[in-house]
Amino acid sequence: MIFAVWIPLLMPLLAVPAARRLAESLPPRPAAWLLTGCAALLAGCTTAALGLLATAGALRLPPVAALEHLSLPLLGDDPAVSVPAAWVAVGLLAACACAVAYRTARHRGELRAARRGTAAHPVSGDLCVLPDAAPDAYALPGGPGRPGRVVVTAGMLRALSPAEREALFAHERAHLAGRHHLFLLTVALAAACHPLLRSLRAPLAFALERWADESAASRVGDRRLTARAIGRAALAARPDAPAPYRPRTVLAATAGPVPRRVAALLTPAPEPHTPALRTGFRGRRLIAAALLACVTFSAASALDAAADLHQTVEVAQGETSGR
């Protein structure tokens, strides 16, 4: 077990760059699902590996071994390695649990504060207008008994034409419909389990914004209008003066690399079955195969380590019961 259990802890070194590279070549929606799913799976394998390390070390403690009727010499692995590794794993698991609990509580608290703060302002349908002069807009997810809201400031409304406002509102409604804040929260919680997973947040945020951009363009039926709305909103917004009550895990239309988003909206989608698209598809298949191999190997290693530990425990229990 001592060798297989380390693989899930090291596999993000290969899987994270592969996931980022593959997401760049995918449409926004599957890219967002890919990055989120990859983060969740790798975090799960990491947590399982730490749990196995902690369990293997705990079984070597005389009180635990006596309780489980284990023969210590038959547990395998060098105690000079497994016991210190177990203590480190316990510390890391505790840190992960605290980080996950803190980020979950902070997310819920920010959403509650945002809902309370915006409740006193005028609402028209799903649109809430704040009187702030600083231009800003974001999608505020709903809660139990509360629908989601598109929150926009008076400053942003003044900065855009009526048609551009509709494109901006369509963008924010796409965030609400897709529940994009849960994608970001999932990756944030996964990053609490393995620090390398933090680098998936930026490409995920970009994929979610591109997803909302394409949904807005489809809704209003004009890609150039959507691009102009996003660009003008970004130029009007002031990053140093965001709208009040905005939680950290919600996205705004002005977030991310806006020039890339505008350029993507102004670029016609490639026709299917073109040579360039076929070449790109072949490259994606290779990267996808590498990523799948990394994730599969990580999960298989965790399962192999768990099976090995279970077998070792059975052998140690059988020896003591046979005496």
Side-chain angles (χ1 to χ4, degrees):
M1 186 199 77
I2 196 65
F3 297 108
V5 77
W6 297 105
I7 293 176
L9 303 177
L10 300 176
M11 195 53 64
L13 288 169
L14 300 176
V16 168
R20 290 172 59 99
R21 181 68 179 273
L22 182 58
E24 291 176 356
S25 63
L26 289 175
R29 184 169 182 171
W33 279 105
L34 168 77
L35 293 168
T36 306
C38 184
L41 289 172
L42 292 173
C45 293
T46 295
T47 305
L50 292 175
L52 290 170
L53 283 170
T55 301
L59 293 175
R60 285 196 163 274
L61 297 176
V64 177
L67 182 65
E68 296 295 330
H69 307 289
L70 301 176
S71 174
L72 289 177
L74 295 177
L75 282 176
D77 296 337
D78 185 0
V81 175
S82 59
V83 173
W87 284 111
V88 173
V90 168
L92 291 175
L93 282 173
C96 290
C98 291
V100 167
Y102 170 74
R103 294 185 186 187
T104 302
R106 186 183 67 181
H107 172 73
R108 292 177 177 175
E110 288 178 349
L111 288 182
R112 285 196 298 267
R115 291 165 188 150
R116 287 195 302 266
T118 58
H121 296 282
V123 176
S124 176
D126 64 349
L127 185 65
C128 175
V129 180
L130 302 180
D132 298 75
D136 208 343
Y138 59 92
L140 179 61
R146 289 172 174 261
R149 292 279 186 262
V150 175
V151 181
V152 62
T153 64
M156 182 63 78
L157 293 178
R158 287 193 292 269
L160 303 179
S161 68
E164 291 167 348
R165 293 175 197 163
E166 290 304 316
L168 181 67
F169 298 158
H171 173 99
E172 301 301 345
R173 289 180 180 122
H175 283 317
L176 292 175
R179 300 185 68 79
H180 292 172
H181 68 290
L182 295 181
F183 288 76
L184 289 174
L185 178 62
T186 299
V187 172
L189 297 181
C193 300
H194 200 300
L196 287 178
L197 299 178
R198 294 175 185 171
S199 62
L200 293 180
R201 191 192 186 283
L204 173 62
F206 177 72
L208 293 174
E209 290 294 354
R210 286 283 300 118
W211 181 352
D213 289 343
E214 293 295 333
S215 297
S218 177
R219 183 69 178 269
V220 301
D222 190 335
R223 296 179 66 85
R224 296 189 66 85
L225 172 62
T226 306
R228 188 167 65 249
I230 298 300
R232 291 191 64 179
L235 290 174
R238 297 201 300 269
D240 58 333
Y245 319 120
R246 186 204 292 176
R248 292 180 178 87
T249 52
V250 303
L251 293 166
T254 57
V258 175
R260 285 180 60 194
R261 293 168 51 200
V262 171
L265 285 169
L266 296 177
T267 302
E271 295 293 330
H273 309 302
T274 60
L277 193 60
R278 288 197 299 268
T279 302
F281 180 66
R282 286 194 294 269
R284 285 197 299 268
R285 283 193 299 181
L286 292 174
I287 301 174
L291 178 60
L292 180 61
C294 290
V295 175
T296 302
F297 193 38
S298 180
S301 298
L303 291 174
D304 179 64
D308 185 39
L309 179 62
H310 178 69
Q311 183 179 8
T312 302
V313 169
E314 286 187 334
V315 170
Q317 286 177 331
E319 177 68 15
T320 55
S321 62
R323 291 179 179 178

